Amino acid sequence: MDLEKKKELALLIGETVCSTYGVVGLTRVKSLKNQLVILKKENYVDGVLVFRNLKDKFDIDVHLIVAYGVKVSEVVNQVSKRILYEATKKYGGIFGKINVYVEDLLVL
């Protein structure tokens, strides 16, 4: 998958994730300073990693911040389902695993 397609996919995933109930936003992988930043739309590619697995499918890693007080397992489940649905609808069945990493909880 070339860079332009990855950016397009990251934007699709970012919009899908951020419209899910309980999600505050996408973030980068935790840095050494443990400073989390909620990414803006133009930087969604920093919170979404897309890579080819051994079975010639693409796996997706998503790093997000969830609102404090929601059931995290339900949010993760919904995010994963929605990403798979939207990505498959646009690109076909080329995706394998979708890994959702909750980097932090944020009190709203």
Side-chain angles (χ1 to χ4, degrees):
M1 185 172 279
D2 66 356
L3 186 60
E4 279 304 311
K5 287 238 190 233
K6 282 187 180 183
K7 285 183 180 180
E8 185 180 305
L9 179 60
L11 183 62
L12 173 73
I13 290 170
E15 289 174 347
T16 301
V17 168
C18 290
S19 67
T20 303
Y21 176 79
V23 174
V24 175
L26 289 176
T27 188
R28 292 181 181 95
V29 180
K30 278 192 177 180
S31 66
L32 295 176
K33 297 177 184 177
N34 286 333
Q35 295 177 339
L36 292 174
V37 176
I38 298 172
L39 298 175
K40 295 182 181 183
K41 194 173 191 175
E42 60 270 7
N43 295 327
Y44 281 165
V45 74
D46 294 338
V48 177
L49 303 173
V50 180
F51 53 94
R52 187 180 296 272
N53 66 21
L54 296 175
K55 298 176 184 170
D56 280 342
K57 297 240 179 196
F58 289 97
D59 291 345
I60 300 170
D61 288 354
V62 180
H63 298 269
L64 51 92
I65 298 173
V66 174
Y68 181 81
V70 297
K71 191 171 181 182
V72 175
S73 61
E74 273 303 310
V75 172
V76 169
N77 189 24
Q78 283 301 313
V79 164
S80 181
K81 283 181 181 179
R82 292 186 71 199
I83 290 172
L84 184 61
Y85 174 77
E86 292 295 332
T88 303
K89 185 169 80 171
K90 181 154 182 152
Y91 296 101
I94 62 170
F95 299 100
K97 291 194 294 185
I98 298 178
N99 303 307
V100 179
Y101 299 99
V102 177
E103 298 293 342
D104 202 5
L105 299 174
L106 186 66
V107 178
L108 298 177

